Amino acid sequence: MSPIDWDQPATMIDLDGKAPLIGTIRLCAQHFAIFKAEAKTQARVLLTQPVHREGRRTRTWLLEPFEIQALVDRLHAEG
């Protein structure tokens, strides 16, 4: 996945139907980090700019839980 700017607008959605979180990638990653395991499996992030995924011909607008976790890991690594 290509790097995503922390200040890019994004929306975190929940497949269980809870209210979405509208903010930035950073805010979505911060919230995802405090979710319980079950809530993490239901979370997705809708991007305002699609990103390229290695091995795919097209860009995507939606981040899966493992991709959101990668953002959390990046956030922690950057401090």
Side-chain angles (χ1 to χ4, degrees):
M1 181 171 68
S2 48
I4 301 172
D5 293 331
W6 288 122
D7 60 349
Q8 180 185 145
T11 303
M12 182 175 284
I13 58 174
D14 183 313
L15 300 180
D16 278 342
K18 295 182 182 99
L21 169 72
I22 301 170
T24 62
I25 288 292
R26 178 182 299 277
L27 184 62
C28 291
Q30 289 170 333
H31 274 77
F32 185 84
I34 61 173
F35 284 175
K36 293 180 181 178
E38 184 178 322
K40 286 182 177 184
T41 64
Q42 299 297 317
R44 303 295 187 273
V45 171
L46 181 62
L47 303 169
T48 54
Q49 297 174 359
V51 293
H52 173 72
R53 285 190 180 145
E54 193 171 325
R56 294 183 91 179
R57 292 177 52 169
T58 59
R59 297 181 296 164
T60 184
W61 296 89
L62 192 67
L63 298 181
E64 299 291 332
F66 73 94
E67 295 167 313
I68 305 167
Q69 184 60 52
L71 290 172
V72 171
D73 296 343
R74 182 178 134 206
L75 185 62
H76 288 125
E78 292 178 4

